[in-house]
Amino acid sequence: MEYDAATMSPPPVKGRTFGRRRRFGDRIFSNLTLIFALVIVAILLGLVIVLNIEAAPSISKFGISFLGSSSWDVPKESFGALPAIYGTLLTSAIGVLIAVPISLGAAIFLVEMAPSWLRGPCSFLIEMLAAIPSVIIGLWGIYVLAPFMTPIERWLGGHLGFIPIFHGQVFGFSFLTAGVILTLMIIPIITAVSRDAIKAVPDHQREAMLALGATRWETIRRAVLPYCRSGLIGATILGLGRALGETMAVTMVIGNAYKLTPSLFSTGTTISSKIANEFGEASSGLFIASLVELALVLFGVTLLINVVARLLVWRLTAVKEAS
Amino acid sequence: MATVSDRVRNATTKQDIREVTTHFEGDKGILEVQTLNAWYGKTLAIKDISMSIRSRTITAIIGPSGCGKSTFIRCLNRMHEVSHGGRVSGSVLLDGKDIYARDVDPVTIRQRIGMVFQKPSPFPTMSIFDNVAAGLRLTRLWSRRGDLQEVVERSLRQAALWDEVKDKLNQSGASLSGGQQQRLCIARALAVAPEIILLDEPCSALDPAATLKIEDLMRNLAQEYTIVIVTHNMQQAARVSEWTAFFLLGEMIEYGKTVDIFSRPKDKRTEDYITGRFG
């Protein structure tokens, strides 16, 4: 009998059992991947738990005032995190503010403008920048960037000194220098991720805008960038995340003074530099506990910023798909 | 039927008036294509095409996949050069002036010759209103919100979409059905008041009901606009167009009145294609 696909069910295949063995393999595989996924969660939870246990003496002694206090007095055992939190947020903000326009420009150039022979080498160089160890960037910061920043800071102080952030003595080692170092370190990641986001914008979006009589720039601004804006925000957040946690290079150029001042030219510190600088010499239990609590604070700050960013992206995409 | 004077009355810019009044000059085509060749890199995609496209008619380009019909239509508003490796020789005269002349800005050409693509491509981050207004905002001639609203409504009415979207102009264009999205794209193209509208397989992603709606729309639009449509659907060409060109392997095999092409094709290859022997 002939087999007619339209009217009959498939003829039975003899001597073949369906699926048993394959399903078994599938189950192993799916359990295995589940375990790996759980390992990540476990590591994260473990980290938080250990940090909490180790920081317990400091948490119980200082309570919430740890976050608001600017004191870091080892002999008197009085510790507070505010200057470090301030330094972390300030240097990261400077880094992101300078890095985002540069990276976005570079990404737009790479995808939309660059001739194809330039695209590969350019992308490669930008990714190479990400591969430089941060201690080397830090050394470069000490010997090249800090002396370079001194006259710039002096000039800013001379002309804009009436604004508190540009007021104060200039050393070269400062929040601003640290922010510029961070800029260099986060440009590669922001550029690479934005480039991929822009590249993922379908061509029909560009052509639709061009066909309305848009110039190339108008096409980028009105069709391409809005289409991939959640990707661009994601790129910025990745950069910000890296800036918040960056330790070595920042420690080497920020001057490591524990103070709270509006001046960008002042020496200062960040949470991670504080830990890196003092953990080796920390002797007393409360001192160590306070440093661990600093780590916990950094963890909290990073988490908070990521959650806010996720909400932002989520809100934007929700608007995009509203029906 | 909207007449030229209607359009002049509706036109609010000098450019509009110029466009409307220089619309039709006797039997001469509004678009004269002369020995047009187009390449992708080193591949010659269309060879030596010469044809005249008449004002306020629907001209259909038919042919099997890969015959160069899409490439051809993209050459008519200088969209071909946007593609990677796209290159063109020959000339296309719009009202007697070569759009490939050195001093011509492709941006102004695309304002006069609009295009709607195969895949409905509303801008997903813009509302329905903003989608239609997108082209107008580029020209910056529409500073008053009232003007903008008027043109958006008129364009949506022309595209037979107004009644379906008038209560949700602030919603995303991506929330519409495929057929509605394509009519939104047509409205968007109409809003910048082009003289010619190029449709590149506008119905290939749509169901039959939506296709018929777009075809009705095309017939109405042909009273005011010159339409060139690329389609792989011969029935569609027969239903809507007045003129038909048959393309094969990058060459134009035959061009004539649609009735003649479909009832008395002169070339054997045309006959084979329209009788379904290949393609």
Side-chain angles (χ1 to χ4, degrees):
Chain A
M1 194 169 79
E2 247 183 52
Y3 169 56
D4 178 0
T7 55
M8 293 172 59
S9 53
V13 180
K14 281 201 180 123
R16 193 149 148 203
T17 53
F18 279 107
R20 253 268 159 263
R21 214 169 54 84
R22 234 184 64 209
R23 252 196 353 245
F24 182 64
D26 275 355
R27 204 172 300 149
I28 290 183
F29 183 69
S30 109
N31 286 336
L32 214 61
T33 49
L34 177 68
I35 290 169
F36 292 148
L38 288 178
V39 164
I40 294 172
V41 178
I43 290 174
L44 198 66
L45 278 178
L47 196 69
V48 174
I49 291 169
V50 169
L51 284 177
N52 263 300
I53 293 172
E54 295 288 318
S58 162
I59 295 174
S60 61
K61 175 120 198 278
F62 303 115
I64 195 78
S65 73
F66 183 77
L67 296 176
S69 156
S70 327
S71 128
W72 194 270
D73 193 331
V74 179
K76 285 188 192 154
E77 297 213 311
S78 154
F79 302 109
L82 192 59
I85 298 174
Y86 172 75
T88 299
L89 294 179
L90 181 63
T91 50
S92 303
I94 296 171
V96 168
L97 276 180
I98 308 177
V100 164
I102 297 176
S103 309
L104 199 56
I108 290 172
F109 175 76
L110 285 176
V111 181
E112 305 283 338
M113 315 272 189
S116 46
W117 59 266
L118 196 61
R119 240 167 250 179
C122 255
S123 291
F124 178 72
L125 283 179
I126 289 167
E127 274 149 31
M128 278 302 294
L129 192 57
I132 301 173
S134 76
V135 68
I136 291 175
I137 294 193
L139 268 182
W140 177 81
I142 291 176
Y143 289 109
V144 181
L145 186 65
F148 177 76
M149 289 302 287
T150 313
I152 295 177
E153 290 184 354
R154 246 186 227 125
W155 184 88
L156 281 171
H159 291 80
L160 299 166
F162 56 90
I163 309 171
I165 59 169
F166 295 126
H167 185 78
Q169 220 185 332
V170 170
F171 307 100
F173 295 93
S174 63
F175 287 120
L176 188 61
T177 309
V180 173
I181 277 274
L182 284 176
T183 301
L184 288 172
M185 302 186 72
I186 64 178
I187 277 178
I189 188 153
I190 303 184
T191 307
V193 178
S194 324
R195 181 197 57 198
D196 292 346
I198 294 172
K199 219 190 260 173
V201 175
D203 271 341
H204 65 74
Q205 288 285 316
R206 295 186 179 86
E207 294 191 341
M209 197 47 103
L210 281 173
L212 290 175
T215 61
R216 188 137 67 150
W217 161 240
E218 287 165 334
T219 305
I220 292 167
R221 197 176 82 76
R222 289 165 187 265
V224 176
L225 296 184
Y227 192 95
C228 64
R229 62 188 172 187
S230 59
L232 299 179
I233 294 173
T236 308
I237 298 310
L238 276 175
L240 183 59
R242 174 143 196 228
L244 288 170
E246 176 50 43
T247 311
M248 205 57 226
V250 171
T251 308
M252 290 163 86
V253 298
I254 200 168
N256 301 304
Y258 209 65
K259 57 188 178 187
L260 201 58
T261 153
S263 171
L264 296 182
F265 304 155
S266 162
T267 51
T269 193
T270 65
I271 297 177
S272 48
S273 337
K274 191 74 186 161
I275 299 171
N277 271 323
E278 302 198 355
F279 201 79
E281 291 117 48
S283 46
S284 84
L286 193 60
F287 190 8
I288 294 177
S290 296
L291 286 171
V292 175
E293 195 179 349
L294 267 184
L296 202 59
V297 169
L298 180 59
F299 188 80
V301 169
T302 316
L303 195 70
L304 193 71
I305 284 177
N306 270 295
V307 168
V308 169
R310 192 51 59 88
L311 286 176
L312 194 69
V313 170
W314 176 74
R315 212 184 66 86
L316 276 178
T317 36
V319 169
K320 184 159 117 186
E321 275 140 28
S323 51
Chain B
M1 179 182 147
T3 60
V4 171
S5 59
D6 279 340
R7 281 198 81 207
V8 172
R9 211 174 307 129
N10 289 336
T12 35
T13 66
K14 271 186 190 155
Q15 192 195 3
D16 263 356
I17 291 166
R18 182 180 51 73
E19 283 176 7
V20 173
T21 48
T22 58
H23 220 277
F24 185 67
E25 303 166 25
D27 201 25
K28 222 180 108 225
I30 184 171
L31 265 184
E32 293 280 348
V33 182
Q34 292 167 353
T35 57
L36 191 75
N37 291 281
W39 289 264
Y40 286 101
K42 282 181 181 152
T43 320
L44 184 60
I46 58 171
K47 297 167 206 157
D48 274 338
I49 309 284
S50 295
M51 70 189 285
S52 167
I53 290 163
R54 284 153 184 84
S55 183
R56 299 199 186 188
T57 57
I58 302 180
T59 304
I61 317 281
I62 60 169
S65 300
C67 69
K69 55 192 192 298
S70 277
T71 308
F72 172 72
I73 200 175
R74 289 168 64 89
C75 290
L76 299 184
N77 69 341
R78 298 194 60 173
M79 284 298 289
H80 176 63
E81 64 204 51
V82 174
S83 337
H84 186 72
R87 195 157 57 82
V88 175
S89 81
S91 56
V92 176
L93 306 183
L94 171 62
D95 284 335
K97 181 149 174 45
D98 187 6
I99 66 170
Y100 283 98
R102 208 167 263 214
D103 58 334
V104 171
D105 182 358
V107 167
T108 60
I109 295 301
R110 293 181 198 131
Q111 281 168 0
R112 296 179 66 187
I113 308 180
M115 190 164 197
V116 174
F117 299 90
Q118 186 168 359
K119 192 169 183 289
S121 53
F123 302 123
T125 56
M126 295 184 193
S127 67
I128 291 171
F129 183 94
D130 290 338
N131 259 283
V132 181
L136 290 169
R137 293 219 165 98
L138 294 172
T139 63
R140 285 183 197 82
L141 292 166
W142 307 83
S143 46
R144 280 188 19 244
R145 180 88 188 154
D147 288 349
L148 208 59
Q149 258 158 359
E150 214 181 289
V151 179
V152 167
E153 181 177 339
R154 178 156 35 106
S155 308
L156 282 168
R157 280 189 195 281
Q158 281 182 310
L161 191 61
W162 176 252
D163 291 330
E164 291 158 63
V165 301
K166 64 183 173 203
D167 299 322
K168 48 176 184 179
L169 290 174
N170 287 322
Q171 287 181 18
S172 164
S175 67
L176 300 173
S177 74
Q180 289 173 324
Q181 286 188 15
Q182 197 60 302
R183 276 180 283 149
L184 179 64
C185 293
I186 293 175
R188 184 172 70 187
L190 292 174
V192 285
E195 292 149 76
I196 301 172
I197 301 169
L198 309 174
L199 303 163
D200 186 1
E201 303 206 22
C203 302
S204 65
L206 305 182
D207 62 59
T211 301
L212 285 180
K213 269 198 166 148
I214 302 253
E215 288 180 7
D216 282 342
L217 174 58
M218 276 191 273
R219 283 186 209 102
N220 286 329
L221 291 175
Q223 296 169 356
E224 288 183 66
Y225 300 90
T226 306
I227 295 179
V228 182
I229 176 175
V230 160
T231 176
H232 59 231
N233 179 340
M234 283 176 286
Q235 287 73 33
Q236 183 170 57
R239 280 195 300 265
V240 300
S241 72
E242 193 174 328
W243 296 82
T244 297
F246 171 61
F247 276 51
L248 186 63
L249 298 173
E251 285 175 89
M252 189 170 76
I253 305 299
E254 194 167 347
Y255 177 42
K257 283 268 188 191
T258 301
V259 278
D260 296 333
I261 295 274
F262 280 92
S263 56
R264 310 177 278 280
K266 293 192 190 76
D267 195 289
K268 178 81 172 64
R269 289 167 293 182
T270 315
E271 190 183 340
D272 287 350
Y273 181 70
I274 60 168
T275 53
R277 234 161 274 167
F278 73 95

